Amino acid sequence: SGDGSGAAGGGSRVCFSGVEILAPMVRASTLALRLECLRYGADLVFGEEIIDKKLIGAARVENSAFGTVDFVSPREKVLIFATSKEERSRVFFQMGTADAALATQAAMLVARDVRGIDVNMGCPKSFSVKGGMGAALLSTPEVASDILRALRRNLPESCALTCKIRMLETTAKTRDFMQLCEKSGAEAVTVHCRTRDERPAEPAHWDEIMRLWDAVKVPVICNGDFFTRRQIDEFWKFCHGAGAADGAAAGEKAGPSGIMIARGALWNPSIFCRDASVVPSFEDMVRNYVRAAVRANSTYQNCKWVLSQMLAGGVGVTAPNEFVGVPTKAFNRQLSTMKSMGAICEKLGIPHDAASFPQQAHMTTYYRGWEPLD
Ligand code: FNR
């Protein structure tokens, strides 16, 4: 399997062969979840989509207490993006953009702190599409191409460039669009195997990836509907049965290169454990996440939201019916009343005194929603 870090740093290419990737998810793919996914075995992690204009003007702050690099909007003191050394060689910053100049200006701010930049070309939300961003780029290929070309021209060589698209109306159109991305400088293309109008509850079209992967020479990543290890194994079997040549092991392209997981990883980040013997219990997985959230300086609001997804997202699928002795759905309701990281730790039986989390003494206060631990 691949090591997404490649030979970290330098001008080296990212290795996408056999990779399993945490998908970009607004509110979910923040630092704590990304680090947990990496610790369980994810090869690469993508941050939540951040709009170019939101990042432009942010101050870069080295937060020595937490070991993070924080990008903070100076006026409202809001944390826009935080990253750390642990993920440096494996994190992609995902950008929402409709403009090559703004995209470049924003990307240059974070380019030396991340492994790569990913352009969101798939978000169907009206907020994105009305602004010409996300899935709107699928129908304005000249703008999509401009953005990628400008980024590739300006980014340091050490910074990779990728994009994430959805399926277009026909296979031929999707292939054309993928080729445009490749020609414009994308080093890998992720295909969310749904069209712009398909909802998350509708099944992803894995069969389509077999008609797409050979449209380009660069690696193709398949996204959509990976919720368990068994499904991941089934997917690779399906690919080989459907005609992907053997040779992935030799590093040569033969079928899709890797997979990207969104909801399956939000509900259960240990989905990335390839070794069944090290899969934690659900309760340990949740506690590990909360500890990571405290250490990563997460806001309690963000931590609560991610927890609520873990608890509700998969009840009966990934989450058990009972959690720390309480019916999981009831626990999720109790969660809504908690107003600090301390309260969350307390509820889960996680020690949260200064000795357990020495960073807390140095907690920075420039974030909206910041609450002291106790
Ligand atoms: C998403 N998705 C998404 N995609 C993207 O390119 N940028 C983003 O910021 C987000 N945000 C986001 C938030 C949440 C809560 C969800 C559930 C999804 C889409 C996501 O990356 C992925 O393409 C789809 O969810 C399909 O993958 P799964 O969920 O079937 O693994």
Side-chain angles (χ1 to χ4, degrees), residues 214-287:
D214 61 351
V216 287
K217 291 191 194 68
V218 295
V220 173
I221 310 296
C222 180
N223 168 235
D225 283 355
F226 296 105
F227 298 110
T228 62
R229 278 311 315 170
R230 190 177 342 155
Q231 279 174 320
I232 297 169
D233 293 340
E234 274 166 14
F235 174 76
W236 288 119
K237 270 197 224 123
F238 166 80
C239 288
H240 288 279
D246 263 324
E252 126 207 4
K253 200 171 167 229
S257 293
I259 61 162
M260 176 183 274
I261 312 176
R263 289 165 298 169
L266 170 58
W267 296 345
N268 175 20
S270 74
I271 189 172
F272 289 107
C273 286
R274 289 172 170 97
D275 174 358
S277 70
V278 297
V279 175
S281 69
F282 183 79
E283 295 191 6
D284 283 345
M285 181 276 284
V286 170
R287 287 199 180 93

Side-chain angles (χ1 to χ4, degrees), residues 8-230:
S12 66
R13 292 242 149 179
V14 177
C15 171
F16 287 100
S17 173
V19 288
E20 300 186 0
I21 306 176
L22 170 68
M25 284 181 280
V26 165
R27 271 191 286 180
S29 303
T30 48
L31 181 59
L33 189 75
R34 297 199 303 265
L35 291 176
E36 282 297 283
C37 289
L38 288 171
R39 289 164 190 162
Y40 288 124
D43 299 294
L44 297 168
V45 290
F46 281 41
E48 62 172 339
E49 178 195 50
I50 292 170
I51 309 297
D52 51 13
K53 285 183 195 145
K54 208 171 141 192
L55 184 66
I56 292 170
R60 181 184 182 282
V61 181
E62 288 190 20
N63 185 335
S64 57
F66 288 86
T68 54
V69 174
D70 300 342
F71 291 86
V72 183
S73 75
R75 223 150 39 103
E76 305 93 346
K77 308 281 184 204
V78 176
L79 178 71
I80 294 161
F81 177 69
T83 183
S84 74
K85 202 168 160 198
E86 186 179 343
E87 66 170 5
R88 162 73 186 78
S89 63
R90 298 175 289 176
V91 64
F92 277 66
F93 179 93
Q94 197 200 43
M95 190 183 299
T97 184
D99 181 273
L102 292 175
T104 304
Q105 210 186 331
M108 295 306 281
L109 288 171
V110 292
R112 296 193 185 277
D113 289 304
V114 296
R115 187 65 185 85
I117 303 285
D118 182 72
V119 179
N120 184 342
M121 301 189 179
C123 181
K125 298 261 159 69
S126 70
F127 161 79
S128 285
V129 177
K130 274 190 201 139
M133 301 180 287
L137 292 170
L138 299 175
S139 39
T140 53
E142 60 302 331
V143 181
S145 171
D146 256 9
I147 292 169
L148 290 172
R149 284 176 194 278
L151 286 170
R152 190 62 283 165
R153 221 173 25 245
N154 288 287
L155 287 171
E157 209 191 314
S158 63
C159 186
L161 176 64
T162 59
C163 60
K164 177 165 174 279
I165 70 169
R166 282 188 178 233
M167 288 158 43
L168 287 87
E169 308 88 82
T170 64
T171 304
K173 284 188 180 169
T174 314
R175 289 175 66 94
D176 283 350
F177 195 87
M178 292 164 74
Q179 285 163 5
L180 175 99
C181 294
E182 177 179 49
K183 257 188 272 158
S184 309
E187 285 154 58
V189 178
T190 301
V191 183
H192 176 187
C193 294
R194 290 187 177 86
T195 60
R196 180 177 151 165
D197 298 320
E198 286 178 311
R199 299 299 95 201
E202 297 176 69
H205 307 280
W206 285 357
D207 53 329
E208 184 68 2
I209 205 75
M210 296 313 297
R211 296 186 279 272
L212 296 176
W213 71 268
D214 61 351
V216 287
K217 291 191 194 68
V218 295
V220 173
I221 310 296
C222 180
N223 168 235
D225 283 355
F226 296 105
F227 298 110
T228 62
R229 278 311 315 170
R230 190 177 342 155

